[in-house]
């Protein structure tokens, strides 16, 4: 099987079990493999600017309005609900094997996912 995409600047992010492809600013994410976005997440994936993936099964996306959303294995960063209210003016997201860190416009950092893999930055928040 294969996927053919006709678009400008197609970008792809990958976990160890899945892929997500999108066009920067586009309204559609194509995902395949073992980490499919839930329909509620899929509805929110509009005007995607960036996607990062943890190695072990989660994706996080920055949207054009500066918010971020995550999906996939909740133990590996696929659930950002505990920090969702802090994910405003997100400039960049980086991933480890099981966690994400978002850099905000004010240069603060918000992390989520497995705390043993970087998903808890509270110990260094004031530095």
């Amino acid at each position: 099987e294969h996927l053919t995409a006709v678009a400008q600047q197609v970008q792809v992010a990958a976990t160890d079990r899945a892929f997500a492809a999108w066009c920067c600013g586009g309204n559609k994410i194509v995902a395949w493999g073992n980490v499919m976005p839930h329909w509620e997440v899929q509805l929110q994936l509009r005007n995607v600017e960036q996607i990062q993936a943890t190695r072990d099964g989660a994706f996080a996306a920055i949207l054009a309005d500066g918010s971020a959303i995550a999906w996939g294995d909740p133990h590996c960063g696929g659930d950002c609900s505990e920090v969702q209210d802090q994910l405003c003016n997100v400039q960049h997201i980086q991933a480890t094997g099981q966690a994400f860190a978002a850099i905000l416009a004010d240069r603060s950092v918000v992390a989520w996912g497995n705390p043993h893999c970087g998903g808890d930055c509270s110990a260094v928040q004031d530095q």
Side-chain angles (χ1 to χ4, degrees), residues 47-127:
N47 298 312
V48 173
E49 297 293 324
Q50 177 193 2
I51 293 183
Q52 287 287 339
T54 63
R55 178 194 65 231
D56 293 339
F59 292 99
I62 300 174
L63 307 181
D65 66 0
S67 64
I69 189 167
W71 72 94
D73 187 334
H75 303 292
C76 298
D79 178 5
C80 62
S81 60
E82 289 186 18
V83 296
Q84 189 72 59
D85 62 330
Q86 299 172 56
L87 293 173
C88 302
N89 300 311
V90 177
Q91 302 296 301
H92 185 73
I93 293 178
Q94 191 61 49
T96 67
Q98 297 182 357
F100 292 104
I103 300 171
L104 309 183
D106 66 2
R107 298 186 181 175
S108 63
V109 176
V110 176
W112 69 96
N114 185 332
H116 301 292
C117 296
D120 179 2
C121 63
S122 60
V124 296
Q125 198 67 20
D126 295 332
Q127 296 184 17

